Amino acid sequence: MAIMTIGFNPALDRILECADFHIGGHQQARQIARLAAGKAANVNRALAQLGCDSLAMGFVGADDVEFFHEQLMACGPGRILCRFVEVAGQTRENITILDPRRRLETHLRDVGFTVTMRDAEFLREKILHELKEGDFAIFAGSLATGVDEGFFSDLLDQCIRSQVRVVVDSSGPPLKAAAAKDLWLIKPNLEELRQLVGVEVPNAAAAIRDTAAPLLKHTRNILVSRGPMGAVLLTREGTYSARLAAKDMPVRTVGCGDHLLAGFVAEITAGKAVEEALVTALAVATARAMSPKMEEFEMRLVESARASVVVERI
């Protein structure tokens, strides 16, 4: 079975470190990474580190295609095959400012390019040509300007009819549209879940379970990330809460949710049970949070975190 990611609105992520960052004035910062990113590319990169091959689909600005290819295809040991649709305009460039003294992160998000309906239809054709029954299609991130919820909804329906295991990691209207369909998995964080159901949800495993359970009428699995509190996995067979017993302080949180998703899918494709997949997912997300390098996580941290993960059925 193949794993495909689809990123409609990728990004170049510039990550700066600035001690005691504040608004206004002149401050000294240093760039610690410039990455081909966006949620879909982050999932590809994490899968590759876990030894899983994947296919990267979506839009990329024509001037940035080579940069995306070079960065993603250099990952490993798993391979990433890039099948992007080039579009006019520049890929958005997001800026993350890390303050190591106060352990704060500031994220500045660009809007991104505008795609044409011709671009969208070409991408649809490429996606449906590549996907086969039983494959995973991971739609991750926001929609680009020019791609509306109607197009997105129709594409999901086509993938479902082809018996593809569809995963959606998005927010706002795209997530709401997806949650009404027979998907294999949705992966909101807690704030995205609150927006989806329209009510305030405490950051407590039982509250998340009770609030998200009605969504299982359509989607088969719901993976809710809770930041330092871990994650909750709802399935039609039961609900599981995962947390770390150790109290290690994360270096940063950038991309942790994407790594949680990649770890879960990697284990499922390897034939593991959902409880074991959840353990690995949280361990990979923790390794991302604890690793000093932005372009990769340290596998030794995955193994040490795995020993610290506690999973409870709730």
Side-chain angles (χ1 to χ4, degrees), residues 42 45-47 49-50 244 255-264 266-267 277-291 297-299 301-303 305-306 309:
N42 292 342
R45 187 179 278 109
L47 287 170
Q49 281 204 257
L50 294 169
L244 285 176
C256 292
D258 308 327
H259 283 64
L260 181 81
L261 176 57
F264 187 77
E267 291 290 72
L278 182 58
V279 170
T280 297
L282 189 56
V284 173
T286 302
R288 168 64 276 153
M290 299 299 298
S291 295
F297 56 87
E298 298 181 11
M299 289 302 299
L301 293 176
V302 175
E303 296 309 316
R306 195 195 306 271
V309 174

PDB file of all heavy atoms in Angstrom, residues 42 45-47 49-50 244 255-264 266-267 277-291 297-299 301-303 305-306 309:
ATOM      1  N   ASN A  42       5.966  18.088   5.992  1.00  0.00           N
ATOM      2  CA  ASN A  42       6.444  17.638   7.303  1.00  0.00           C
ATOM      3  C   ASN A  42       6.128  16.171   7.529  1.00  0.00           C
ATOM      4  O   ASN A  42       6.929  15.423   8.107  1.00  0.00           O
ATOM      5  CB  ASN A  42       5.811  18.480   8.414  1.00  0.00           C
ATOM      6  CG  ASN A  42       6.287  19.919   8.416  1.00  0.00           C
ATOM      7  OD1 ASN A  42       7.307  20.246   7.827  1.00  0.00           O
ATOM      8  ND2 ASN A  42       5.545  20.788   9.078  1.00  0.00           N
ATOM      9  N   ARG A  45       8.541  14.079   5.455  1.00  0.00           N
ATOM     10  CA  ARG A  45       9.880  14.053   6.051  1.00  0.00           C
ATOM     11  C   ARG A  45       9.927  13.091   7.245  1.00  0.00           C
ATOM     12  O   ARG A  45      10.890  12.325   7.393  1.00  0.00           O
ATOM     13  CB  ARG A  45      10.272  15.479   6.464  1.00  0.00           C
ATOM     14  CG  ARG A  45      11.701  15.599   6.950  1.00  0.00           C
ATOM     15  CD  ARG A  45      12.047  17.030   7.316  1.00  0.00           C
ATOM     16  NE  ARG A  45      12.400  17.816   6.146  1.00  0.00           N
ATOM     17  CZ  ARG A  45      11.650  18.779   5.631  1.00  0.00           C
ATOM     18  NH1 ARG A  45      10.480  19.076   6.171  1.00  0.00           N
ATOM     19  NH2 ARG A  45      12.053  19.448   4.581  1.00  0.00           N
ATOM     20  N   ALA A  46       8.896  13.131   8.081  1.00  0.00           N
ATOM     21  CA  ALA A  46       8.864  12.237   9.239  1.00  0.00           C
ATOM     22  C   ALA A  46       8.729  10.782   8.808  1.00  0.00           C
ATOM     23  O   ALA A  46       9.387   9.895   9.377  1.00  0.00           O
ATOM     24  CB  ALA A  46       7.711  12.635  10.168  1.00  0.00           C
ATOM     25  N   LEU A  47       7.890  10.513   7.828  1.00  0.00           N
ATOM     26  CA  LEU A  47       7.746   9.142   7.328  1.00  0.00           C
ATOM     27  C   LEU A  47       9.085   8.612   6.807  1.00  0.00           C
ATOM     28  O   LEU A  47       9.450   7.455   7.062  1.00  0.00           O
ATOM     29  CB  LEU A  47       6.699   9.094   6.217  1.00  0.00           C
ATOM     30  CG  LEU A  47       5.234   9.230   6.635  1.00  0.00           C
ATOM     31  CD1 LEU A  47       4.344   9.422   5.405  1.00  0.00           C
ATOM     32  CD2 LEU A  47       4.769   8.005   7.431  1.00  0.00           C
ATOM     33  N   GLN A  49      12.085   9.430   7.718  1.00  0.00           N
ATOM     34  CA  GLN A  49      12.970   9.107   8.834  1.00  0.00           C
ATOM     35  C   GLN A  49      12.578   7.793   9.508  1.00  0.00           C
ATOM     36  O   GLN A  49      13.424   7.104  10.085  1.00  0.00           O
ATOM     37  CB  GLN A  49      12.967  10.234   9.859  1.00  0.00           C
ATOM     38  CG  GLN A  49      13.842  11.411   9.453  1.00  0.00           C
ATOM     39  CD  GLN A  49      14.277  12.198  10.671  1.00  0.00           C
ATOM     40  OE1 GLN A  49      13.742  13.253  10.946  1.00  0.00           O
ATOM     41  NE2 GLN A  49      15.230  11.674  11.401  1.00  0.00           N
ATOM     42  N   LEU A  50      11.297   7.455   9.428  1.00  0.00           N
ATOM     43  CA  LEU A  50      10.825   6.196  10.017  1.00  0.00           C
ATOM     44  C   LEU A  50      10.971   5.021   9.056  1.00  0.00           C
ATOM     45  O   LEU A  50      10.540   3.910   9.371  1.00  0.00           O
ATOM     46  CB  LEU A  50       9.360   6.349  10.440  1.00  0.00           C
ATOM     47  CG  LEU A  50       9.124   7.344  11.587  1.00  0.00           C
ATOM     48  CD1 LEU A  50       7.630   7.617  11.739  1.00  0.00           C
ATOM     49  CD2 LEU A  50       9.709   6.814  12.891  1.00  0.00           C
ATOM     50  N   LEU A 244       2.953  11.172  28.277  1.00  0.00           N
ATOM     51  CA  LEU A 244       4.307  10.833  28.704  1.00  0.00           C
ATOM     52  C   LEU A 244       4.369  10.795  30.220  1.00  0.00           C
ATOM     53  O   LEU A 244       3.901  11.717  30.894  1.00  0.00           O
ATOM     54  CB  LEU A 244       5.313  11.856  28.183  1.00  0.00           C
ATOM     55  CG  LEU A 244       5.690  11.802  26.703  1.00  0.00           C
ATOM     56  CD1 LEU A 244       6.612  12.956  26.391  1.00  0.00           C
ATOM     57  CD2 LEU A 244       6.342  10.480  26.352  1.00  0.00           C
ATOM     58  N   GLY A 255       5.827  21.535  14.205  1.00  0.00           N
ATOM     59  CA  GLY A 255       5.712  20.291  13.449  1.00  0.00           C
ATOM     60  C   GLY A 255       5.386  19.058  14.260  1.00  0.00           C
ATOM     61  O   GLY A 255       5.316  17.959  13.693  1.00  0.00           O
ATOM     62  N   CYS A 256       5.166  19.189  15.556  1.00  0.00           N
ATOM     63  CA  CYS A 256       4.939  17.994  16.386  1.00  0.00           C
ATOM     64  C   CYS A 256       3.653  17.259  15.995  1.00  0.00           C
ATOM     65  O   CYS A 256       3.612  16.031  15.993  1.00  0.00           O
ATOM     66  CB  CYS A 256       4.911  18.367  17.863  1.00  0.00           C
ATOM     67  SG  CYS A 256       6.516  18.900  18.501  1.00  0.00           S
ATOM     68  N   GLY A 257       2.603  17.996  15.689  1.00  0.00           N
ATOM     69  CA  GLY A 257       1.359  17.348  15.286  1.00  0.00           C
ATOM     70  C   GLY A 257       1.510  16.569  14.000  1.00  0.00           C
ATOM     71  O   GLY A 257       0.923  15.489  13.836  1.00  0.00           O
ATOM     72  N   ASP A 258       2.298  17.092  13.068  1.00  0.00           N
ATOM     73  CA  ASP A 258       2.549  16.391  11.809  1.00  0.00           C
ATOM     74  C   ASP A 258       3.327  15.100  12.057  1.00  0.00           C
ATOM     75  O   ASP A 258       3.090  14.079  11.404  1.00  0.00           O
ATOM     76  CB  ASP A 258       3.336  17.286  10.853  1.00  0.00           C
ATOM     77  CG  ASP A 258       2.685  18.651  10.681  1.00  0.00           C
ATOM     78  OD1 ASP A 258       1.452  18.722  10.737  1.00  0.00           O
ATOM     79  OD2 ASP A 258       3.422  19.635  10.518  1.00  0.00           O
ATOM     80  N   HIS A 259       4.253  15.139  13.003  1.00  0.00           N
ATOM     81  CA  HIS A 259       5.027  13.947  13.336  1.00  0.00           C
ATOM     82  C   HIS A 259       4.170  12.922  14.085  1.00  0.00           C
ATOM     83  O   HIS A 259       4.357  11.706  13.922  1.00  0.00           O
ATOM     84  CB  HIS A 259       6.256  14.331  14.164  1.00  0.00           C
ATOM     85  CG  HIS A 259       7.354  14.936  13.340  1.00  0.00           C
ATOM     86  ND1 HIS A 259       7.207  16.128  12.687  1.00  0.00           N
ATOM     87  CD2 HIS A 259       8.615  14.497  13.065  1.00  0.00           C
ATOM     88  CE1 HIS A 259       8.330  16.404  12.030  1.00  0.00           C
ATOM     89  NE2 HIS A 259       9.191  15.436  12.250  1.00  0.00           N
ATOM     90  N   LEU A 260       3.237  13.399  14.893  1.00  0.00           N
ATOM     91  CA  LEU A 260       2.287  12.492  15.543  1.00  0.00           C
ATOM     92  C   LEU A 260       1.526  11.701  14.495  1.00  0.00           C
ATOM     93  O   LEU A 260       1.403  10.466  14.581  1.00  0.00           O
ATOM     94  CB  LEU A 260       1.323  13.298  16.415  1.00  0.00           C
ATOM     95  CG  LEU A 260       0.268  12.503  17.184  1.00  0.00           C
ATOM     96  CD1 LEU A 260       0.857  11.921  18.464  1.00  0.00           C
ATOM     97  CD2 LEU A 260      -0.937  13.391  17.520  1.00  0.00           C
ATOM     98  N   LEU A 261       1.019  12.381  13.487  1.00  0.00           N
ATOM     99  CA  LEU A 261       0.264  11.726  12.420  1.00  0.00           C
ATOM    100  C   LEU A 261       1.139  10.760  11.640  1.00  0.00           C
ATOM    101  O   LEU A 261       0.730   9.622  11.351  1.00  0.00           O
ATOM    102  CB  LEU A 261      -0.321  12.785  11.490  1.00  0.00           C
ATOM    103  CG  LEU A 261      -1.061  12.277  10.250  1.00  0.00           C
ATOM    104  CD1 LEU A 261      -2.210  11.351  10.630  1.00  0.00           C
ATOM    105  CD2 LEU A 261      -1.567  13.453   9.416  1.00  0.00           C
ATOM    106  N   ALA A 262       2.358  11.180  11.300  1.00  0.00           N
ATOM    107  CA  ALA A 262       3.254  10.307  10.533  1.00  0.00           C
ATOM    108  C   ALA A 262       3.584   9.036  11.305  1.00  0.00           C
ATOM    109  O   ALA A 262       3.593   7.931  10.738  1.00  0.00           O
ATOM    110  CB  ALA A 262       4.541  11.062  10.188  1.00  0.00           C
ATOM    111  N   GLY A 263       3.860   9.171  12.593  1.00  0.00           N
ATOM    112  CA  GLY A 263       4.165   7.989  13.395  1.00  0.00           C
ATOM    113  C   GLY A 263       3.002   7.022  13.456  1.00  0.00           C
ATOM    114  O   GLY A 263       3.202   5.793  13.398  1.00  0.00           O
ATOM    115  N   PHE A 264       1.795   7.545  13.552  1.00  0.00           N
ATOM    116  CA  PHE A 264       0.615   6.680  13.617  1.00  0.00           C
ATOM    117  C   PHE A 264       0.408   5.933  12.298  1.00  0.00           C
ATOM    118  O   PHE A 264       0.234   4.707  12.288  1.00  0.00           O
ATOM    119  CB  PHE A 264      -0.618   7.516  13.955  1.00  0.00           C
ATOM    120  CG  PHE A 264      -1.856   6.700  14.201  1.00  0.00           C
ATOM    121  CD1 PHE A 264      -2.028   6.035  15.409  1.00  0.00           C
ATOM    122  CD2 PHE A 264      -2.842   6.586  13.240  1.00  0.00           C
ATOM    123  CE1 PHE A 264      -3.173   5.275  15.648  1.00  0.00           C
ATOM    124  CE2 PHE A 264      -3.978   5.828  13.457  1.00  0.00           C
ATOM    125  CZ  PHE A 264      -4.144   5.167  14.665  1.00  0.00           C
ATOM    126  N   ALA A 266       2.589   5.338   9.929  1.00  0.00           N
ATOM    127  CA  ALA A 266       3.703   4.421   9.670  1.00  0.00           C
ATOM    128  C   ALA A 266       3.475   3.076  10.346  1.00  0.00           C
ATOM    129  O   ALA A 266       3.726   2.015   9.759  1.00  0.00           O
ATOM    130  CB  ALA A 266       5.019   5.043  10.133  1.00  0.00           C
ATOM    131  N   GLU A 267       3.014   3.106  11.587  1.00  0.00           N
ATOM    132  CA  GLU A 267       2.798   1.864  12.322  1.00  0.00           C
ATOM    133  C   GLU A 267       1.585   1.093  11.796  1.00  0.00           C
ATOM    134  O   GLU A 267       1.593  -0.142  11.759  1.00  0.00           O
ATOM    135  CB  GLU A 267       2.625   2.165  13.808  1.00  0.00           C
ATOM    136  CG  GLU A 267       3.891   2.644  14.505  1.00  0.00           C
ATOM    137  CD  GLU A 267       4.925   1.550  14.656  1.00  0.00           C
ATOM    138  OE1 GLU A 267       5.541   1.159  13.643  1.00  0.00           O
ATOM    139  OE2 GLU A 267       5.119   1.075  15.787  1.00  0.00           O
ATOM    140  N   ALA A 277       0.407   1.748  17.653  1.00  0.00           N
ATOM    141  CA  ALA A 277       0.618   2.865  16.737  1.00  0.00           C
ATOM    142  C   ALA A 277       0.556   4.189  17.482  1.00  0.00           C
ATOM    143  O   ALA A 277       1.308   5.123  17.190  1.00  0.00           O
ATOM    144  CB  ALA A 277      -0.413   2.834  15.616  1.00  0.00           C
ATOM    145  N   LEU A 278      -0.342   4.279  18.468  1.00  0.00           N
ATOM    146  CA  LEU A 278      -0.465   5.506  19.252  1.00  0.00           C
ATOM    147  C   LEU A 278       0.786   5.745  20.087  1.00  0.00           C
ATOM    148  O   LEU A 278       1.234   6.891  20.228  1.00  0.00           O
ATOM    149  CB  LEU A 278      -1.708   5.430  20.137  1.00  0.00           C
ATOM    150  CG  LEU A 278      -2.031   6.658  20.994  1.00  0.00           C
ATOM    151  CD1 LEU A 278      -2.209   7.901  20.121  1.00  0.00           C
ATOM    152  CD2 LEU A 278      -3.278   6.412  21.832  1.00  0.00           C
ATOM    153  N   VAL A 279       1.357   4.697  20.644  1.00  0.00           N
ATOM    154  CA  VAL A 279       2.595   4.823  21.412  1.00  0.00           C
ATOM    155  C   VAL A 279       3.703   5.395  20.535  1.00  0.00           C
ATOM    156  O   VAL A 279       4.392   6.359  20.904  1.00  0.00           O
ATOM    157  CB  VAL A 279       3.017   3.465  21.997  1.00  0.00           C
ATOM    158  CG1 VAL A 279       4.431   3.547  22.576  1.00  0.00           C
ATOM    159  CG2 VAL A 279       2.038   3.019  23.073  1.00  0.00           C
ATOM    160  N   THR A 280       3.884   4.813  19.361  1.00  0.00           N
ATOM    161  CA  THR A 280       4.931   5.298  18.456  1.00  0.00           C
ATOM    162  C   THR A 280       4.649   6.721  18.013  1.00  0.00           C
ATOM    163  O   THR A 280       5.569   7.554  17.927  1.00  0.00           O
ATOM    164  CB  THR A 280       5.040   4.374  17.229  1.00  0.00           C
ATOM    165  OG1 THR A 280       5.443   3.070  17.658  1.00  0.00           O
ATOM    166  CG2 THR A 280       6.046   4.906  16.224  1.00  0.00           C
ATOM    167  N   ALA A 281       3.389   7.023  17.727  1.00  0.00           N
ATOM    168  CA  ALA A 281       3.026   8.370  17.280  1.00  0.00           C
ATOM    169  C   ALA A 281       3.445   9.414  18.298  1.00  0.00           C
ATOM    170  O   ALA A 281       4.065  10.438  17.954  1.00  0.00           O
ATOM    171  CB  ALA A 281       1.521   8.441  17.026  1.00  0.00           C
ATOM    172  N   LEU A 282       3.130   9.172  19.559  1.00  0.00           N
ATOM    173  CA  LEU A 282       3.487  10.143  20.598  1.00  0.00           C
ATOM    174  C   LEU A 282       5.000  10.190  20.806  1.00  0.00           C
ATOM    175  O   LEU A 282       5.567  11.260  21.069  1.00  0.00           O
ATOM    176  CB  LEU A 282       2.771   9.802  21.905  1.00  0.00           C
ATOM    177  CG  LEU A 282       2.878  10.866  23.008  1.00  0.00           C
ATOM    178  CD1 LEU A 282       2.379  12.217  22.523  1.00  0.00           C
ATOM    179  CD2 LEU A 282       2.118  10.434  24.245  1.00  0.00           C
ATOM    180  N   ALA A 283       5.662   9.054  20.663  1.00  0.00           N
ATOM    181  CA  ALA A 283       7.118   9.026  20.808  1.00  0.00           C
ATOM    182  C   ALA A 283       7.797   9.830  19.697  1.00  0.00           C
ATOM    183  O   ALA A 283       8.772  10.555  19.953  1.00  0.00           O
ATOM    184  CB  ALA A 283       7.619   7.585  20.797  1.00  0.00           C
ATOM    185  N   VAL A 284       7.292   9.719  18.480  1.00  0.00           N
ATOM    186  CA  VAL A 284       7.868  10.473  17.364  1.00  0.00           C
ATOM    187  C   VAL A 284       7.617  11.970  17.555  1.00  0.00           C
ATOM    188  O   VAL A 284       8.513  12.795  17.330  1.00  0.00           O
ATOM    189  CB  VAL A 284       7.282   9.987  16.023  1.00  0.00           C
ATOM    190  CG1 VAL A 284       7.734  10.885  14.872  1.00  0.00           C
ATOM    191  CG2 VAL A 284       7.717   8.546  15.759  1.00  0.00           C
ATOM    192  N   ALA A 285       6.409  12.343  17.981  1.00  0.00           N
ATOM    193  CA  ALA A 285       6.107  13.754  18.235  1.00  0.00           C
ATOM    194  C   ALA A 285       7.000  14.297  19.340  1.00  0.00           C
ATOM    195  O   ALA A 285       7.479  15.445  19.268  1.00  0.00           O
ATOM    196  CB  ALA A 285       4.635  13.914  18.611  1.00  0.00           C
ATOM    197  N   THR A 286       7.251  13.491  20.355  1.00  0.00           N
ATOM    198  CA  THR A 286       8.130  13.911  21.453  1.00  0.00           C
ATOM    199  C   THR A 286       9.557  14.088  20.972  1.00  0.00           C
ATOM    200  O   THR A 286      10.243  15.051  21.341  1.00  0.00           O
ATOM    201  CB  THR A 286       8.071  12.879  22.596  1.00  0.00           C
ATOM    202  OG1 THR A 286       6.724  12.757  23.049  1.00  0.00           O
ATOM    203  CG2 THR A 286       8.962  13.293  23.750  1.00  0.00           C
ATOM    204  N   ALA A 287      10.020  13.155  20.135  1.00  0.00           N
ATOM    205  CA  ALA A 287      11.370  13.281  19.588  1.00  0.00           C
ATOM    206  C   ALA A 287      11.513  14.558  18.771  1.00  0.00           C
ATOM    207  O   ALA A 287      12.545  15.229  18.811  1.00  0.00           O
ATOM    208  CB  ALA A 287      11.703  12.061  18.737  1.00  0.00           C
ATOM    209  N   ARG A 288      10.454  14.910  18.020  1.00  0.00           N
ATOM    210  CA  ARG A 288      10.481  16.167  17.272  1.00  0.00           C
ATOM    211  C   ARG A 288      10.603  17.355  18.227  1.00  0.00           C
ATOM    212  O   ARG A 288      11.364  18.297  17.987  1.00  0.00           O
ATOM    213  CB  ARG A 288       9.214  16.289  16.429  1.00  0.00           C
ATOM    214  CG  ARG A 288       8.917  17.626  15.789  1.00  0.00           C
ATOM    215  CD  ARG A 288       9.937  18.067  14.774  1.00  0.00           C
ATOM    216  NE  ARG A 288      11.071  18.722  15.424  1.00  0.00           N
ATOM    217  CZ  ARG A 288      12.309  18.768  14.952  1.00  0.00           C
ATOM    218  NH1 ARG A 288      12.586  18.200  13.798  1.00  0.00           N
ATOM    219  NH2 ARG A 288      13.266  19.362  15.613  1.00  0.00           N
ATOM    220  N   ALA A 289       9.848  17.316  19.319  1.00  0.00           N
ATOM    221  CA  ALA A 289       9.879  18.419  20.288  1.00  0.00           C
ATOM    222  C   ALA A 289      11.224  18.534  20.986  1.00  0.00           C
ATOM    223  O   ALA A 289      11.651  19.641  21.335  1.00  0.00           O
ATOM    224  CB  ALA A 289       8.770  18.228  21.322  1.00  0.00           C
ATOM    225  N   MET A 290      11.914  17.410  21.180  1.00  0.00           N
ATOM    226  CA  MET A 290      13.154  17.401  21.944  1.00  0.00           C
ATOM    227  C   MET A 290      14.408  17.521  21.082  1.00  0.00           C
ATOM    228  O   MET A 290      15.491  17.786  21.603  1.00  0.00           O
ATOM    229  CB  MET A 290      13.247  16.113  22.766  1.00  0.00           C
ATOM    230  CG  MET A 290      12.131  15.925  23.781  1.00  0.00           C
ATOM    231  SD  MET A 290      12.075  17.229  25.026  1.00  0.00           S
ATOM    232  CE  MET A 290      13.670  17.034  25.806  1.00  0.00           C
ATOM    233  N   SER A 291      14.283  17.338  19.778  1.00  0.00           N
ATOM    234  CA  SER A 291      15.468  17.332  18.912  1.00  0.00           C
ATOM    235  C   SER A 291      15.909  18.749  18.583  1.00  0.00           C
ATOM    236  O   SER A 291      15.083  19.591  18.209  1.00  0.00           O
ATOM    237  CB  SER A 291      15.178  16.568  17.615  1.00  0.00           C
ATOM    238  OG  SER A 291      14.932  15.203  17.881  1.00  0.00           O
ATOM    239  N   PHE A 297      14.552  14.538  13.358  1.00  0.00           N
ATOM    240  CA  PHE A 297      14.517  14.220  14.785  1.00  0.00           C
ATOM    241  C   PHE A 297      15.501  13.094  15.056  1.00  0.00           C
ATOM    242  O   PHE A 297      15.920  12.388  14.137  1.00  0.00           O
ATOM    243  CB  PHE A 297      13.103  13.841  15.236  1.00  0.00           C
ATOM    244  CG  PHE A 297      12.488  12.696  14.469  1.00  0.00           C
ATOM    245  CD1 PHE A 297      12.706  11.380  14.849  1.00  0.00           C
ATOM    246  CD2 PHE A 297      11.676  12.943  13.363  1.00  0.00           C
ATOM    247  CE1 PHE A 297      12.143  10.322  14.151  1.00  0.00           C
ATOM    248  CE2 PHE A 297      11.101  11.887  12.660  1.00  0.00           C
ATOM    249  CZ  PHE A 297      11.334  10.573  13.050  1.00  0.00           C
ATOM    250  N   GLU A 298      15.859  12.928  16.293  1.00  0.00           N
ATOM    251  CA  GLU A 298      16.843  11.915  16.649  1.00  0.00           C
ATOM    252  C   GLU A 298      16.137  10.615  17.028  1.00  0.00           C
ATOM    253  O   GLU A 298      15.298  10.597  17.926  1.00  0.00           O
ATOM    254  CB  GLU A 298      17.710  12.416  17.812  1.00  0.00           C
ATOM    255  CG  GLU A 298      18.515  13.662  17.461  1.00  0.00           C
ATOM    256  CD  GLU A 298      19.387  14.122  18.609  1.00  0.00           C
ATOM    257  OE1 GLU A 298      19.526  13.379  19.602  1.00  0.00           O
ATOM    258  OE2 GLU A 298      19.951  15.231  18.505  1.00  0.00           O
ATOM    259  N   MET A 299      16.495   9.528  16.351  1.00  0.00           N
ATOM    260  CA  MET A 299      15.822   8.253  16.575  1.00  0.00           C
ATOM    261  C   MET A 299      16.034   7.736  17.996  1.00  0.00           C
ATOM    262  O   MET A 299      15.165   7.057  18.540  1.00  0.00           O
ATOM    263  CB  MET A 299      16.311   7.221  15.558  1.00  0.00           C
ATOM    264  CG  MET A 299      15.827   7.479  14.133  1.00  0.00           C
ATOM    265  SD  MET A 299      14.016   7.546  13.978  1.00  0.00           S
ATOM    266  CE  MET A 299      13.560   5.898  14.508  1.00  0.00           C
ATOM    267  N   LEU A 301      15.877   9.442  20.570  1.00  0.00           N
ATOM    268  CA  LEU A 301      14.851  10.071  21.390  1.00  0.00           C
ATOM    269  C   LEU A 301      13.499   9.399  21.205  1.00  0.00           C
ATOM    270  O   LEU A 301      12.685   9.377  22.125  1.00  0.00           O
ATOM    271  CB  LEU A 301      14.748  11.568  21.056  1.00  0.00           C
ATOM    272  CG  LEU A 301      15.960  12.414  21.434  1.00  0.00           C
ATOM    273  CD1 LEU A 301      15.784  13.850  20.960  1.00  0.00           C
ATOM    274  CD2 LEU A 301      16.198  12.372  22.943  1.00  0.00           C
ATOM    275  N   VAL A 302      13.258   8.841  20.023  1.00  0.00           N
ATOM    276  CA  VAL A 302      12.019   8.087  19.805  1.00  0.00           C
ATOM    277  C   VAL A 302      11.986   6.878  20.729  1.00  0.00           C
ATOM    278  O   VAL A 302      10.980   6.598  21.391  1.00  0.00           O
ATOM    279  CB  VAL A 302      11.896   7.629  18.333  1.00  0.00           C
ATOM    280  CG1 VAL A 302      10.658   6.741  18.149  1.00  0.00           C
ATOM    281  CG2 VAL A 302      11.819   8.833  17.407  1.00  0.00           C
ATOM    282  N   GLU A 303      13.101   6.162  20.801  1.00  0.00           N
ATOM    283  CA  GLU A 303      13.140   4.950  21.624  1.00  0.00           C
ATOM    284  C   GLU A 303      13.016   5.278  23.113  1.00  0.00           C
ATOM    285  O   GLU A 303      12.312   4.594  23.853  1.00  0.00           O
ATOM    286  CB  GLU A 303      14.437   4.187  21.357  1.00  0.00           C
ATOM    287  CG  GLU A 303      14.551   3.671  19.929  1.00  0.00           C
ATOM    288  CD  GLU A 303      13.322   2.890  19.491  1.00  0.00           C
ATOM    289  OE1 GLU A 303      12.824   2.055  20.288  1.00  0.00           O
ATOM    290  OE2 GLU A 303      12.840   3.120  18.374  1.00  0.00           O
ATOM    291  N   ALA A 305      11.557   7.941  24.385  1.00  0.00           N
ATOM    292  CA  ALA A 305      10.207   8.434  24.636  1.00  0.00           C
ATOM    293  C   ALA A 305       9.193   7.290  24.627  1.00  0.00           C
ATOM    294  O   ALA A 305       8.240   7.283  25.397  1.00  0.00           O
ATOM    295  CB  ALA A 305       9.836   9.486  23.587  1.00  0.00           C
ATOM    296  N   ARG A 306       9.415   6.315  23.745  1.00  0.00           N
ATOM    297  CA  ARG A 306       8.494   5.185  23.646  1.00  0.00           C
ATOM    298  C   ARG A 306       8.384   4.469  25.002  1.00  0.00           C
ATOM    299  O   ARG A 306       7.301   4.035  25.402  1.00  0.00           O
ATOM    300  CB  ARG A 306       8.973   4.205  22.581  1.00  0.00           C
ATOM    301  CG  ARG A 306       7.918   3.197  22.151  1.00  0.00           C
ATOM    302  CD  ARG A 306       8.555   2.040  21.384  1.00  0.00           C
ATOM    303  NE  ARG A 306       9.356   2.499  20.271  1.00  0.00           N
ATOM    304  CZ  ARG A 306       8.897   2.700  19.047  1.00  0.00           C
ATOM    305  NH1 ARG A 306       7.634   2.502  18.784  1.00  0.00           N
ATOM    306  NH2 ARG A 306       9.710   3.108  18.071  1.00  0.00           N
ATOM    307  N   VAL A 309       5.896   6.378  27.309  1.00  0.00           N
ATOM    308  CA  VAL A 309       4.498   6.621  26.927  1.00  0.00           C
ATOM    309  C   VAL A 309       3.576   5.697  27.711  1.00  0.00           C
ATOM    310  O   VAL A 309       3.797   4.481  27.799  1.00  0.00           O
ATOM    311  CB  VAL A 309       4.294   6.413  25.419  1.00  0.00           C
ATOM    312  CG1 VAL A 309       2.803   6.530  25.059  1.00  0.00           C
ATOM    313  CG2 VAL A 309       5.109   7.426  24.627  1.00  0.00           C
TER     314      VAL A 309
END
